[in-house]
Amino acid sequence: IVMLVIIPLICLITSVFYGIRNGFNFWYILIVAIMFVPSIFIFYNSSAWVYVVGYAVIALLGNLIALPLGKR
């Protein structure tokens, strides 16, 4: 439940808040994906590599949701 619901929800919420505050930022999405990589080696096994792409997509969606809500 944590890996499939809670962490992606936290990623989405923080991406929306970041997008509202700073606008769309490709580097944020890339950093979210890169920062998940060390946790694969520490907490998960090699099958968790797919989550790197998943969290990048969630961060992208969060930034896109915040696009109309952000400051102009």
Side-chain angles (χ1 to χ4, degrees), residues 38-72:
S39 69
I40 292 173
F41 300 111
I42 296 170
F43 299 110
Y44 310 112
N45 57 17
S46 62
S47 67
W49 277 101
V50 71
Y51 290 108
V52 172
V53 176
Y55 288 129
V57 169
I58 290 171
L60 173 67
L61 289 175
N63 264 321
L64 290 177
I65 289 170
L67 208 59
L69 304 173
K71 54 183 177 177
R72 297 176 191 243

Side-chain angles (χ1 to χ4, degrees), residues 29-42:
I29 298 164
L30 189 62
I31 289 172
V32 166
I34 290 171
M35 288 184 67
F36 184 73
V37 172
S39 69
I40 292 173
F41 300 111
I42 296 170

